[in-house]
Amino acid sequence: AAHIGLFLKTFVEGERPWLDEQRFMELMSLGQAMPGPTSTQMATAMGITRAGALGGLVSFWLFDWVGFAVQLSTGAAVYYLDLGALDTYKMVVLGAGPAAISLVFLAARMLGNKACGDDPLRISLALFTCFVALLLPREHMRWAAFAFPGLILFGGLVTALDARRPSRRAAYEKALSPPTGKGLLKQIGIPRPAGLLLAMVAVGLFPFAWVARDLACGGFGGAGSRQLAVFSSLYWMGFSIYGGGQVVLPMLESEFTRGRCEPGETGSFPPLDAETFGFGLALAQSLPGPLFNLSAFLGAAVAGVGGGIVGFLGLFGPGILLIYALMPFWESLRRHEWVRCALVGMNASAVGLVFQACVTLWAKYCTNGAEAAVCILAMAMHKRFAPGDTKPLALRRAWPALVIFSCATLCLVLFFLDLNGAYGDWCHVAKYGDFATQPNRTEACPSAS
C-alpha cells in the first residue's frame, strides 16, 4: 500500500507524470485481480507503458534488487553459518515478528479504505471473503489455489451485476466513466501472440509445480531436489495468491515452518523454526521493495544460494508473466464497462484476504500480552509518530526499520523480565542456544527442558 501511494504521488501527480489517474487505478485493479505482488506488477506495468517490454524488466529489477540482495545474502548466512551464532541473534530479535506484522494491519486499513470506502456491498464482500478464508482448514491450504481465486471472481461477478441496477450506478461513477488515453498500450511492443504464449507458459507451469512439490518428498534427494521443492512450492503459491504479500504470509509460514514431508522422507527442504521465519519477515518489512522478497530469504535459508534464486523466481514468476501476457489485450478489454465494474468487487474481495492474513498472523505472533503490546505500540509509532514531509528524507526512509527493531528490543527486555501476559506465558518461544534466560522455564514449560 505504501508503494502504491508513492507511485501515485510520483508517476501521476508528479512534475513529469507517466500516466493519468484513471489508467493508474486500472493497473492497480489488475494487480489486485491477478496473482502476485501488486506493487511489483504495477512497477512493471508502468515501465512497460513508458518504455515497452525492456522498460518493464528494468522497472521490475530496480524496484526489487535491494531487498532481493539483502534477503538472499542473509538467508544464505542462515544456511551456511554456525547455527549457534544464529540462535543468539534470533534471541536479540525475539520481538521482530510481533513488531513486523503491525505494518500488515496498517496496510489492511489503508487498502480497505481505498477499495471499500463506506459502500455496504463492498464491505460485505470483504467480510464474506475474510470469513470464508478463515474457515478454510490449514491442513488443506493447497485448496486455496481454487478457493481464493473463486472468492475474488465471485466479488467481481457481484459488482458487475450490481452496477447494472439504475439505483446503484452512482456507486460506480469512476468505473463507468469512459477511459482516456486511447492507444497508449498499443505501443508497448508486445504482440498479442507473444502475450498468449506467456499466458500459456504461466498457466502450464502451475500443474507442474503442483505435482513436483509432492514428488520432491522422497523422490529425488540431494541439493537439487531441495531447490526443485522450493521452486515448485513458491510457484504454486505465486499462482494461487490474490491480494499481495500480506495474503501469502500465512501460506509461507505454513509451508516453511511445518514441513510437508512425512518423517523419514528426504528430498524436500527441512522446516524452519518460527523465530527464523519471523526474523526474515521483520527484515523484509524493514527493507525497500515488496514483501515477496521474503522468498529469497526462505529459499536460501533451506536450500542455499540456489534455493534463494529459484525461490525468488518462483514466487514472482506467475505475476510478472501474467502482467506481460495481459498488457497487449488490456487496451480493448478496458473499453467494456462490465470489466471495469468487475474489478471493483475483485478489489473488495482481495481486501478480505488481507484482513484474513491479519487474524492469522496475530494468532501466530501475539500469543501473550507483552507481544500484543509490542505489536500495538509498533502500529502507533508507524501511524501517529512517523516523521512528516518536513523531516529529513533519510529519517523518513529509515523509520520503519527503526520502529521494528526498537520494538523488538522492548520485547526482548520483557522476555528477560519473564513478564507473563494476559494471554499466556512464553512457552511458545523455543529455547535459544545455551542461554538460561528464564530460571523457571523448565518447570513451566516441560518441552523446553
Side-chain angles (χ1 to χ4, degrees):
H3 295 144
I4 293 174
L6 183 61
F7 291 161
L8 179 65
K9 182 179 295 186
T10 304
F11 300 114
V12 177
E13 301 172 352
E15 296 181 358
R16 298 180 178 179
W18 283 14
L19 64 170
D20 57 47
E21 183 175 348
Q22 184 179 31
R23 193 176 295 275
F24 179 87
M25 296 303 296
E26 290 175 7
L27 293 179
M28 186 180 74
S29 298
L30 285 178
Q32 294 280 8
M34 289 194 301
T38 302
S39 58
T40 301
Q41 288 171 319
M42 287 194 65
T44 304
M46 289 189 296
I48 294 173
T49 61
R50 182 68 174 180
L54 182 59
L57 289 176
V58 172
S59 295
F60 165 70
W61 178 245
L62 292 178
F63 184 63
D64 288 292
W65 81 270
V66 174
F68 165 72
V70 175
Q71 293 274 27
L72 179 66
S73 58
T74 307
V78 171
Y79 182 76
Y80 294 112
L81 298 183
D82 176 44
L83 291 180
L86 174 64
D87 287 340
T88 303
Y89 189 62
K90 285 189 297 184
M91 182 180 68
V92 176
V93 294
L94 168 66
I101 65 171
S102 63
L103 290 175
V104 182
F105 283 82
L106 295 176
R109 177 180 178 273
M110 181 181 295
L111 289 172
N113 288 336
K114 288 182 177 294
C116 300
D118 58 357
D119 185 80
L121 179 61
R122 299 177 201 176
I123 295 173
S124 298
L125 286 173
L127 289 174
F128 174 76
T129 302
C130 179
F131 180 78
V132 173
L134 286 172
L135 292 180
L136 188 68
R138 292 186 64 83
E139 60 270 19
H140 297 144
M141 283 302 290
R142 69 170 54 196
W143 297 110
F146 301 102
F148 288 176
L151 291 168
I152 296 287
L153 292 175
F154 173 75
L157 177 63
V158 169
T159 53
L161 295 176
D162 184 59
R164 302 181 65 179
R165 298 166 53 196
S167 60
R168 288 281 296 166
R169 291 184 69 84
Y172 299 89
E173 181 179 359
K174 292 184 178 179
L176 292 173
S177 301
T180 58
K182 299 179 181 179
L184 177 62
L185 295 185
K186 293 181 180 179
Q187 304 174 13
I188 62 177
I190 305 175
R192 290 190 177 184
L196 183 61
L197 178 62
L198 290 173
M200 293 173 62
V201 170
V203 174
L205 283 175
F206 179 66
F208 164 79
W210 182 286
V211 174
R213 66 192 296 269
D214 287 328
L215 289 179
C217 289
F220 307 107
S225 177
R226 285 191 178 189
Q227 295 172 8
L228 173 64
V230 168
F231 175 81
S232 58
S233 293
L234 290 176
Y235 191 91
W236 168 78
M237 288 187 208
F239 200 92
S240 308
I241 291 304
Y242 294 74
Q246 292 78 18
V247 180
V248 79
L249 283 178
M251 298 181 71
L252 286 173
E253 186 272 334
S254 177
E255 190 84 355
F256 280 87
T257 64
R258 294 168 178 250
R260 295 184 292 103
C261 296
E262 297 295 330
E265 288 185 328
T266 60
S268 187
F269 48 83
L272 296 172
D273 56 77
E275 289 73 35
T276 301
F277 183 90
F279 167 63
L281 172 60
L283 187 64
Q285 294 278 24
S286 62
L287 289 171
L291 198 59
F292 271 50
N293 281 333
L294 179 61
S295 59
F297 172 86
L298 296 175
V302 299
V305 173
I309 294 173
V310 299
F312 177 84
L313 295 176
L315 196 60
F316 278 93
I320 299 304
L321 286 173
L322 289 175
I323 198 70
Y324 266 90
L326 184 60
M327 291 295 281
F329 299 94
W330 180 244
E331 186 66 26
S332 58
L333 287 174
R334 70 193 293 264
R335 311 306 302 174
H336 300 285
E337 288 185 351
W338 68 269
V339 173
R340 302 195 300 274
C341 292
L343 289 175
V344 174
M346 295 169 79
N347 282 339
S349 295
V351 167
L353 296 179
V354 177
F355 278 96
Q356 177 263 341
C358 290
V359 175
T360 304
L361 291 171
W362 176 274
K364 177 65 180 178
Y365 288 101
C366 299
T367 60
N368 61 43
E371 290 172 327
V374 165
C375 180
I376 294 173
L377 176 62
M379 289 187 208
M381 292 179 68
H382 282 302
K383 183 64 178 176
R384 295 299 180 187
F385 299 100
D389 294 338
T390 59
K391 301 297 182 180
L393 179 61
L395 177 61
R396 300 201 303 269
R397 289 179 174 177
W399 187 252
L402 291 174
V403 169
I404 288 174
F405 288 108
S406 61
C407 288
T409 302
L410 173 61
C411 195
L412 176 63
V413 171
L414 297 176
F415 176 71
F416 274 109
L417 293 175
D418 195 17
L419 293 180
N420 296 332
Y423 302 132
D425 50 33
W426 295 95
C427 294
H428 64 288
V429 179
K431 188 172 184 287
Y432 295 93
D434 297 325
F435 286 85
T437 54
Q438 295 176 292
N440 66 336
R441 183 173 180 76
T442 302
E443 294 77 12
C445 311
S447 62
S449 58

